[in-house]
Amino acid sequence: MKGFIISSLSALVLTAVSTSAVHAQQTAYNPAVSENASSNVARITPVDLVNAAYRGQLENQGIPSYNDFHLAYRARQINAYALVKSAIQSNLLPSLVLNDQSYINAVATQLDVFRYE
């Protein structure tokens, strides 16, 4: 009987400790830290972004596809910044990429290469 009481109390203490740890993790959640962590994880390359836009994956954000994509770029109706912003709205990129000038420049370079294809 004494062993049963001790094992029951041990199980009760372990349950209480693990429940406290779960609640502590929930209250310590910081969206800013989570946003920073995700910016390094799921990042579409500039080449893939331009190709996705060309194939129509950003049409819901007002980016035309196929031949209209070429025409809009030549007429300066779309640019690298617009593509990045549209990709963020489509959840293809995290919002922090909008502040990454090297990424935007790489998209612009890819757009220039794509224009001559």
Side-chain angles (χ1 to χ4, degrees):
M1 181 73 168
K2 191 175 183 182
F4 177 74
I5 293 174
I6 291 174
S7 63
S8 297
L9 285 175
S10 297
L12 184 62
V13 168
L14 286 174
T15 303
V17 168
S18 64
T19 304
S20 298
V22 168
H23 287 296
Q25 287 178 350
Q26 289 175 350
T27 57
Y29 172 71
N30 183 347
V33 172
S34 178
E35 178 78 13
N36 287 336
S38 69
S39 69
N40 294 328
V41 176
R43 208 170 170 169
I44 187 171
T45 67
V47 172
D48 290 339
L49 175 58
V50 171
N51 287 330
Y54 175 77
R55 288 188 315 269
Q57 290 181 353
L58 300 177
E59 281 185 312
N60 290 339
Q61 284 66 42
I63 304 296
S65 61
Y66 298 104
N67 192 47
D68 291 337
F69 179 83
H70 281 289
L71 295 173
Y73 180 67
R74 287 183 187 138
R76 298 178 189 229
Q77 294 171 344
I78 58 172
N79 57 26
Y81 184 82
L83 285 185
V84 170
K85 192 171 179 182
S86 296
I88 291 168
Q89 292 170 346
S90 296
N91 293 322
L92 294 175
L93 288 171
S95 61
L96 292 174
V97 175
L98 205 53
N99 299 324
D100 186 350
Q101 193 58 49
S102 63
Y103 186 85
I104 294 171
N105 290 342
V107 172
T109 300
Q110 188 57 39
L111 279 169
D112 286 339
V113 169
F114 194 79
R115 178 174 65 180
Y116 296 111
E117 289 180 351

